[in-house]
Amino acid sequence: MAEIEGLYTALLRTKSPGRHERLRAELTRAAEHLAALAVIPGQGQTASHVARRRSRRERRSALAERGAAWIIKRYGQNAH
């Protein structure tokens, strides 16, 4: 997660178009890696199952997965 935060901060501050593209590619790679690590079994559960209490680890994993998905969507290969 710290790698993603650092890459995102660097991406926001860079002025060089070449560096911007490299950082964007690195950020996408890091986000995809985080998303793969954060996969939660049973994601396709119904709303009645979502209401159950989740552990802190499960909540953090879900947040990391959502954050990684947002980064991939925003800065992914096909985004402009």
Side-chain angles (χ1 to χ4, degrees), residues 38-51:
V39 172
I40 299 172
Q43 278 183 291
Q45 297 174 350
T46 63
S48 63
H49 293 283
V50 174

Side-chain angles (χ1 to χ4, degrees), residues 6-74:
L7 288 168
Y8 185 69
T9 300
L11 182 68
L12 292 176
R13 293 180 180 188
T14 190
K15 303 256 189 268
S16 166
R19 180 160 166 74
H20 187 271
E21 289 303 314
R22 283 191 306 275
L23 287 169
R24 193 172 127 187
E26 287 182 47
L27 183 60
T28 300
R29 180 198 49 78
E32 288 170 345
H33 181 70
L34 180 61
L37 292 174
V39 172
I40 299 172
Q43 278 183 291
Q45 297 174 350
T46 63
S48 63
H49 293 283
V50 174
R52 76 169 182 77
R53 284 185 66 98
R54 294 191 294 179
S55 70
R56 173 183 271 175
R57 185 177 185 157
E58 289 173 321
R59 288 191 309 270
R60 289 183 68 149
S61 180
L63 286 172
E65 186 176 1
R66 279 199 309 262
W70 179 84
I71 291 169
I72 291 167
K73 182 178 176 183
R74 168 92 188 211

